[in-house]
Amino acid sequence: LRDMTSSLVKSGAVDFIVLACNTAHAFQSYIEEGCENKVPFVSMIDVTCNEVAKRMNIRGSDNNGRKRKCGILAGGGCIRANLFQNSLLQRHIEPIIPSPSNQELMQSIIYRIKAGDKGMNVLNDFIKVIQELKEEKGCECIVVGCTELPLILEKCLDMYNGVKIDDFVDSTDVMVDTLIRISKNDLELNSFLN
């Protein structure tokens, strides 16, 4: 990844670098090395967590002094690499992940979506994981941290009224919005340089 990024940077064909996969951000340091401080790397993880903080209007805790909680729906690799967890903690937000059994279920959901399955069993399983984060663990916001999950999110919201679309921060949507803002010069690209 370092060499591929470096080749792109040296070609002069890029203004910045992005990854369209949340889990691949586990290799962010290699990509940043390849950027050689010449072009910025725009992190999908960080722009998503910035949006979470903005939506939650974070000041560290709620009115009762409790740390704010954000659930994370992502694949096992993303969870094991602590990508969203670390970024949320930097913003004084308590990251909440599914129980081990529900995280296994989450991984199964992702694989089934990749295989083209968006049927009732997948939807019901996804709702089960959402219910854990929202109802059992008290998350006020939930990161959708896998690019496959938005493919079934709306159907799940139609089936389960315990959440609304505003409870979710979709990393794919946030990244697309960020890139559009950069292209329109509404967001300073140099702010992403380390």
Side-chain angles (χ1 to χ4, degrees):
L1 287 174
R2 180 186 314 112
D3 293 340
M4 287 186 334
T5 304
S6 181
S7 293
L8 283 171
V9 170
K10 287 176 182 170
S11 76
V14 297
D15 294 322
F16 55 90
I17 301 289
V18 299
L19 281 174
C21 172
N22 293 285
T23 303
H25 282 70
F27 305 102
Q28 180 172 333
S29 63
Y30 298 113
I31 294 164
E32 287 175 331
E33 286 174 23
C35 289
E36 302 170 0
N37 288 322
K38 294 178 182 169
V39 298
F41 173 73
V42 182
S43 167
M44 187 178 214
I45 304 297
D46 289 339
V47 297
T48 299
C49 292
N50 287 344
E51 180 63 22
V52 169
K54 179 179 157 188
R55 287 194 194 180
M56 293 174 76
N57 196 19
I58 290 302
R59 287 177 179 66
S61 60
D62 66 11
N63 292 334
N64 298 317
R66 295 179 300 237
K67 206 169 201 181
R68 309 292 285 275
K69 295 180 182 179
C70 179
I72 304 167
L73 298 170
C78 190
I79 296 294
R80 285 189 300 279
N82 291 304
L83 299 174
F84 284 107
Q85 295 96 308
N86 291 337
S87 191
L88 288 168
L89 285 170
Q90 290 173 354
R91 290 154 181 79
H92 308 288
I93 302 166
E94 182 179 355
I96 305 295
I97 60 173
S99 66
S101 62
N102 273 346
Q103 185 57 49
E104 278 185 39
L105 186 60
M106 178 58 50
Q107 193 65 52
S108 167
I109 292 164
I110 292 166
Y111 288 145
R112 288 183 279 165
I113 294 170
K114 285 182 179 188
D117 184 357
K118 298 177 205 149
M120 287 305 293
N121 289 337
V122 172
L123 299 174
N124 286 327
D125 287 347
F126 193 44
I127 290 169
K128 177 182 175 187
V129 180
I130 293 169
Q131 285 175 319
E132 176 197 10
L133 295 176
K134 191 70 176 165
E135 296 173 18
E136 296 172 29
K137 295 189 175 182
C139 297
E140 61 185 276
C141 190
I142 300 173
V143 167
V144 180
C146 179
T147 54
E148 282 75 29
L149 298 175
L151 298 174
I152 62 168
L153 183 59
E154 271 191 52
K155 283 185 183 177
C156 290
L157 294 174
D158 290 341
M159 296 170 55
Y160 169 55
N161 63 9
V163 292
K164 54 190 180 306
I165 193 67
D166 291 342
D167 293 332
F168 296 91
V169 177
D170 178 351
S171 62
T172 304
D173 284 348
V174 173
M175 188 61 157
V176 168
D177 289 345
T178 299
L179 298 176
I180 290 169
R181 290 181 61 210
I182 290 170
S183 71
K184 290 181 171 182
N185 293 318
D186 291 341
L187 188 61
E188 179 59 39
L189 191 55
N190 287 331
S191 67
F192 294 97
L193 281 170
N194 288 335

